[in-house]
Amino acid sequence: MSNSGGVELVEAVTPCCPPLTERPLTAEEAERTATMFKALGDPVRLRLFSLIASHEGGEACVCDISDVGVSQPTVSHHLKKLKDAGLLTSERRGTWVYYRVEPNVLAAMGQLLTGRRPR
């Protein structure tokens, strides 16, 4: 979606699932969760995700994270996969796209695996 200022915001899917130790996942929850982990299962995507999550301010311009040993089109492909999995959001500012980890995704993934609720 975009606003009148030409900024493109992409809505992402937030993890929905309870801790694995709480109850069995439904088929839909398992599908959604597997999509997220599958997206992180590629070393380049995991690196990109880590670069964005650890970048100052929790946001990174594509120009700051492109040096991961693959071509720019490949970086774009991997970033799209992370966005499609609901792990990232993006915002276009002029000619650059800025990426941010979906706000609740790290806490939700941690909760899923550890069973601990965020503080």
Side-chain angles (χ1 to χ4, degrees):
M1 98 177 98
S2 32
N3 67 18
S4 58
V7 175
E8 177 186 335
L9 300 174
V10 177
E11 292 183 35
V13 178
T14 302
C16 67
C17 308
L20 293 174
T21 56
E22 187 174 298
R23 65 168 171 77
L25 298 177
T26 66
E28 182 181 320
E29 290 168 339
E31 186 69 35
R32 181 181 264 171
T33 303
T35 298
M36 290 187 311
F37 283 110
K38 183 177 178 182
L40 292 173
D42 180 277
V44 173
R45 285 195 289 265
L46 186 56
R47 249 183 105 199
L48 287 167
F49 186 77
S50 174
L51 282 166
I52 295 165
S54 65
H55 201 270
E56 187 176 330
E59 175 181 76
C61 173
V62 71
C63 61
D64 295 328
I65 58 171
S66 295
D67 189 19
V68 291
V70 296
S71 68
Q72 178 56 48
T74 303
V75 168
S76 295
H77 167 77
H78 286 304
L79 289 169
K80 182 179 181 332
K81 291 284 189 180
L82 290 167
K83 282 176 51 180
D84 290 348
L87 299 170
L88 298 178
T89 60
S90 67
E91 180 180 330
R92 180 170 294 282
R93 298 180 197 155
T95 59
W96 295 109
V97 178
Y98 288 78
Y99 291 89
R100 175 178 294 278
V101 172
E102 179 64 28
N104 299 318
V105 78
L106 292 176
M109 290 176 83
Q111 178 183 328
L112 174 75
L113 296 174
T114 66
R116 295 186 195 131
R117 303 264 180 213
R119 295 178 186 177

